[in-house]
Amino acid sequence: MNQLQTLTQFAVRQRIRMMVNQYEVRAMLPDGSEGDLICFAQQKRLAFKEQVTLYTDDTKQYPVLGFRARQAIDLGATYDVTDHNGQPIGLFRKDFKQSLLRSTWHLEQPGLFTATGQERNQVLGVLRRFIEAAQFIPYHFDFVAGQHPIFSVDKKWGLRDRYTVHVQDPNVDRRLVIAMAVALDALQGR
């Protein structure tokens, strides 16, 4: 975890399970392949109040960070991101109104920035809302603060959900980026 802040790329891969959503977050090697496990995430499906905890590995003994909705059922819910001691790292929320045609999220790292992340392709965003088959087409999010790029998340083709995350801002807390990348899959359909 000490080297986490130096990473500029990592991969998020969903594991296929019946009653829970599980994700592996791995460092990306210079050749583009997946490296060491950074953390493992688990989200219960159909939970009354959304919560995801990320652990050092799939034994789930040592939490690293987590995010939790402030309120139970809310289309524009705010999610607080905390470290392993429950201390705040930042927050994110879905912009329900803007997301009607193009998914939009707002991400805050206190004392540093407020970023907005949107689907890169507006036409694809509209198609994904109205054509069921378009749900399988990969999508891409770019998070920017003003005109300054913070990070991007690119969904890959495949049977299970896989994402590549590229971090452009060296100051952004990688734990916050990981939480948002996992949330894009875990919460995007809500």
Side-chain angles (χ1 to χ4, degrees), residues 40-132:
F40 169 81
Q42 181 166 306
Q43 172 204 30
K44 291 182 182 179
R45 291 185 183 154
L46 304 172
F48 180 67
K49 194 172 188 179
E50 293 293 345
Q51 180 175 348
V52 175
T53 303
L54 291 92
Y55 302 91
T56 54
D57 58 36
D58 60 5
T59 65
K60 300 183 279 183
Q61 292 181 20
Y62 304 104
V64 176
L65 67 124
F67 59 87
R68 180 183 179 119
R70 288 184 181 171
Q71 52 278 15
I73 300 173
D74 184 357
L75 298 174
T78 297
Y79 296 84
D80 293 302
V81 181
T82 57
D83 68 12
H84 66 285
N85 290 319
Q87 295 301 308
I89 296 171
L91 60 89
F92 58 84
R93 67 179 172 79
K94 189 169 189 174
D95 188 321
F96 178 72
K97 184 178 177 183
Q98 285 190 355
S99 294
L100 291 173
L101 296 177
R102 184 180 188 183
S103 291
T104 302
W105 293 83
H106 301 287
L107 178 81
E108 293 181 32
Q109 184 172 330
L112 190 58
F113 65 80
T114 299
T116 299
Q118 283 191 317
E119 288 179 272
R120 191 176 301 155
N121 187 323
Q122 187 170 4
V123 173
L124 179 57
V126 171
L127 288 175
R128 285 184 43 249
R129 278 140 187 84
F130 299 108
I131 301 172
E132 186 67 29

